[in-house]
Amino acid sequence: VDAAITYATSPPPAMHMRALKPERWVCIARKGHPELKSELTSELLRRLALVKVRPNMPPYTTVLDRALASKNIAVKVGVLVPDYKLVPEVVSNTDMIAIVPEQVMVLSRFRDELQGVPVSLPMPTLRVSIVWHERTHSDPAQQWFRALLRDVLESVPRALPEPSTST
């Protein structure tokens, strides 16, 4: 593996990491969802079935679980999937919703069948990172490849407009 794209917060031993832009959480649902309109409220989150990711390692689900637990929100899990790549397809074909990192929606082949709304709960910001092994750290070809990855990842558009900061 030349490089990995991850949400990890610290690299394993003998690995290097470069954090990129911050990533927001969004709630996704199929277009025309009968209940999800402009934002995900805690009341809707308690009522609607959730597609939940249960990967083999953190921080994905544990970050979401901690945020929900801090607000005493018990969710109704509709289905568990092992990876975020599967979530948009499930959501686009059901009335279930999901809370995902924004790039999951933007980069999905199902993005035209989805709507995204802000999550009105305090959620920690994620950072997309590139991780690579020490043995490739000084290799010019690998440096070029990592720079290319960085440029592509930094250029991915947002799914939702930036939140307004009016006072």
Side-chain angles (χ1 to χ4, degrees):
V1 176
D2 294 322
I5 300 167
T6 182
Y7 291 108
T9 55
S10 59
M15 302 293 278
H16 292 269
M17 184 173 83
R18 173 151 185 186
L20 303 175
K21 70 181 179 182
E23 182 80 6
R24 298 180 297 186
W25 293 90
V26 297
C27 175
I28 60 172
R30 68 172 174 83
K31 278 192 177 165
H33 191 283
E35 296 189 68
L36 191 66
K37 302 299 179 208
S38 60
E39 72 176 342
L40 177 66
T41 63
S42 56
E43 187 258 315
L44 273 176
L45 187 53
R46 284 183 177 96
R47 203 172 48 187
L48 299 176
L50 187 73
V51 177
K52 198 164 180 193
V53 176
R54 182 61 69 189
N56 294 330
M57 58 188 299
Y60 311 110
T61 304
T62 57
V63 169
L64 179 57
D65 288 342
R66 280 194 303 260
L68 296 173
S70 74
K71 296 296 178 190
N72 293 321
I73 297 174
V75 296
K76 182 167 64 174
V77 177
V79 66
L80 288 172
V81 295
D83 192 279
Y84 276 109
K85 292 185 295 279
L86 302 172
V87 173
E89 182 174 10
V90 174
V91 167
S92 69
N93 288 292
T94 67
D95 280 340
M96 289 187 268
I97 61 168
I99 299 174
V100 297
E102 191 170 27
Q103 286 189 2
V104 171
M105 179 181 176
V106 172
L107 298 174
S108 170
R109 68 184 179 105
F110 297 95
R111 70 181 161 273
D112 294 335
E113 300 166 36
L114 300 171
Q115 63 177 334
V117 298
V119 177
S120 63
L121 307 166
M123 297 289 291
T125 301
L126 296 171
R127 282 205 174 269
V128 176
S129 298
I130 301 172
V131 177
W132 63 94
H133 194 273
E134 172 63 34
R135 74 176 174 277
T136 64
H137 184 64
S138 299
D139 182 298
Q142 292 300 318
Q143 290 173 340
W144 171 84
F145 177 65
R146 290 190 301 269
L148 178 65
L149 270 179
R150 181 194 67 234
D151 292 346
V152 168
L153 291 170
E154 293 278 353
S155 70
V156 172
R158 296 281 191 192
L160 304 176
E162 293 293 332
S164 66
T165 56
S166 59
T167 55

